[in-house]
Amino acid sequence: MRIAMVGAGYVGLVSGACFAEFGVEVCVVDTDATKVAALREGRIPIYEPGLERLVADNVRERRLTFTTDLAEAVAGAEAVFLAVGTPSRRGDGHADLSYVFAAAEQVARAATGPLVLVTKSTVPVGTGAQVREIVRTARPDIAIDVASNPEFLREGSAIGDFMRPDRVVIGVEPGEAGERALAVLRRLYRPLYLIETPIVATGIETAELIKYAANAFLATKITFINEVADLCEKVGANVHDVARGMGLDGRIGRKFLHAGPGYGGSCFPKDTLALARTAQDAGAPMRLVETTIAVNEARKAQMAERVIAACGGSVAGKTVAVLGLTFKPETDDMREAPSLAIVPRLAEAGAALRAFDPAGMAHAKPLLPSSVHYATNALDAAAGADALVLLTEWNEFRALSPERLKAAMRGDVLLDLRNVYDPEAMRAAGFRYLSIGRP
Ligand SMILES: NC(=O)c1ccc[n+]([C@@H]2O[C@H](COP(=O)([O-])OP(=O)(O)OC[C@H]3O[C@@H](n4cnc5c(N)ncnc54)[C@H](O)[C@@H]3O)[C@@H](O)[C@H]2O)c1
């Protein structure tokens, strides 16, 4: 079986490599010639644990190839996946579908025979129908069936998520076209049937909405516990224990109940916004989602004020060390990271900033003020700092010796925005330790 993957980003590259690992012949196409050249030379343009090895193995087995030539990728493919970006459209928060529509039309024009065009990008309800119109207009002569197969992988554990997902969602058209598409996708995902992965087969609109509903629900769950953390601070409760006590209830679950600086990343901010816009346009506004967005934005902005308050009301002339810049650990992705709201505000307030991130510094540099000094490791970042802010919970930061950290610094303020450290141990090491929602 041969397929094409349009887009060699976090989703396209991982999905393409994983399908190849399933034994399928995959050609990944991207318009970014630099990315494709790197991949052809065996260099992986993103940081994702395990990906380099997976790509190398499948390239060696000749199941995985890369190109900038869409026609070459599409020729003879039974299925073509769209894994291009769907960022927020400037101004109104709707998803920008220009990459999806352009790619769909290019695929249709390049098609050499019947194929299934599968949208893996996160797209608003109704996009599948528009894609179908585009391909039918471009190629009335060929049966191009459209399908929706939203992706739920998480950066940092993307390969495991793809290989052992909680479920696979497949949306198809009614009738024969849908049956054909479903048959092709079932064949592709056969290795997952063998491990009894639930397959949710639905209509296209439902599949599109499942992805947004899931992301908006998770974003709301995070935002909920963040507000509980604020309340804990006022009343002397401990959010860690509240979350545990809540999360052990099987109806609630423990995941996504970690209080922090507000959610970021390449998905939640843009997907919640797009869902809210879709719902408004459809006349069924989702006020919970709208409130989640507003509360989270305010929270990210408020985090810098917390740092300033912890430094006695001013950071002017002070040195602040920042550990972690990416929106979460085990990725180099800086999209909508809380650091992008916090670091510039601290710089503006007069702080000298020393930052370290194990994978994100190259992407962070063009996005953060030029005055930020990039350190070579956590202790180097802490050197001479008046205050230290833990922003992303990379494992290597968990293991730092409090004593060595304290000895490297000039001051004693430690603001742990991810609650990774033990308050007692940090106080014993001489820190004025502040975390989120814990006494
Ligand atoms: N990143 C995640 O964790 C994640 C998880 C689930 C779903 N998604 C969704 O998947 C989609 C892709 O996300 P991503 O993070 O992989 O994006 P990305 O920006 O990392 O990658 C998109 C790639 O598509 C390429 N591209 C754009 N137009 C093209 C065209 N016409 N032909 C060939 N290549 C083209 C770009 O050059 C880029 O390399 C988005 O809709 C996103 O919401 C992302």
Side-chain angles (χ1 to χ4, degrees), residues 9-11 30 35 84 86 106 122 151 155 266 270 335:
Y10 290 86
V11 167
D30 203 295
K35 219 176 233 188
V84 298
T86 49
Q106 289 158 10
T122 302
E151 183 49 58
E155 290 172 18
S266 63
K270 79 171 174 63
R335 287 178 279 187

Side-chain angles (χ1 to χ4, degrees), residues 20-98:
E21 182 72 12
F22 290 168
V24 177
E25 210 180 296
V26 184
C27 184
V28 179
V29 54
D30 203 295
T31 41
D32 184 338
T34 321
K35 219 176 233 188
V36 171
L39 286 163
R40 283 184 155 177
E41 287 164 15
R43 284 182 287 118
I44 306 295
I46 56 172
Y47 177 88
E48 180 61 46
L51 189 57
E52 190 167 355
R53 171 95 190 269
L54 190 72
V55 168
D57 287 352
N58 284 284
V59 166
R60 195 180 336 101
E61 297 297 324
R62 296 175 188 277
R63 288 190 297 255
L64 184 60
T65 52
F66 303 100
T67 182
T68 53
D69 181 355
L70 190 105
E72 177 193 326
V74 169
E78 271 186 78
V80 179
F81 285 79
L82 301 182
V84 298
T86 49
S88 278
R89 198 160 69 189
R90 243 174 231 289
D92 64 5
H94 271 291
D96 178 354
L97 295 172
S98 56

Side-chain angles (χ1 to χ4, degrees), residues 88-322:
S88 278
R89 198 160 69 189
R90 243 174 231 289
D92 64 5
H94 271 291
D96 178 354
L97 295 172
S98 56
Y99 301 100
V100 170
F101 293 153
E105 184 160 359
Q106 289 158 10
V107 171
R109 294 201 185 287
T112 53
L115 58 84
V116 185
L117 182 58
V118 192
T119 304
K120 205 170 233 330
S121 301
T122 302
V123 295
V125 180
T127 305
Q130 287 173 278
V131 167
R132 187 178 51 223
E133 278 316 303
I134 289 171
V135 300
R136 295 224 168 124
T137 306
R139 289 304 291 274
D141 56 317
I142 287 185
I144 300 179
D145 303 326
V146 299
S148 162
N149 173 220
E151 183 49 58
F152 297 92
L153 63 77
R154 295 163 298 174
E155 290 172 18
S157 54
I159 295 169
D161 289 347
F162 193 96
M163 298 278 200
R164 290 176 298 282
D166 291 333
R167 77 312 209 176
V168 171
V169 174
I170 299 176
V172 295
E173 298 176 85
E176 266 178 40
E179 277 166 31
R180 280 195 302 260
L182 196 56
V184 169
L185 284 160
R186 280 191 193 277
R187 243 187 317 134
L188 259 175
Y189 280 111
R190 204 179 124 71
L192 297 186
Y193 282 58
L194 301 178
I195 56 167
E196 295 181 3
T197 305
I199 306 287
V200 182
T202 70
I204 291 181
E205 285 75 12
T206 303
E208 290 169 340
L209 192 53
I210 288 171
K211 174 66 189 174
Y212 279 99
N215 272 1
F217 187 85
L218 293 173
T220 304
K221 201 172 173 190
I222 294 173
T223 306
F224 181 86
I225 202 67
N226 283 340
E227 286 203 313
V228 171
D230 288 349
L231 180 59
C232 284
E233 287 171 15
K234 298 283 185 207
V235 301
N238 183 326
V239 74
H240 179 81
D241 295 334
V242 173
R244 184 171 141 78
M246 281 172 67
L248 285 169
D249 184 327
R251 294 169 302 178
I252 297 174
R254 293 180 66 178
K255 292 184 178 161
F256 283 77
L257 283 182
H258 301 287
Y263 63 76
S266 63
C267 292
F268 288 179
K270 79 171 174 63
D271 293 348
T272 45
L273 211 51
L275 179 61
R277 292 290 176 267
T278 301
Q280 282 161 1
D281 289 354
M286 297 185 70
R287 302 226 308 276
L288 264 182
V289 177
E290 290 170 13
T291 302
T292 293
I293 296 166
V295 170
N296 191 64
E297 279 307 302
R299 184 171 192 82
K300 286 203 274 188
Q302 201 271 332
M303 285 299 128
E305 305 312 318
R306 262 185 202 242
V307 179
I308 294 169
C311 291
S314 169
V315 288
K318 293 187 177 152
T319 300
V320 178
V322 176

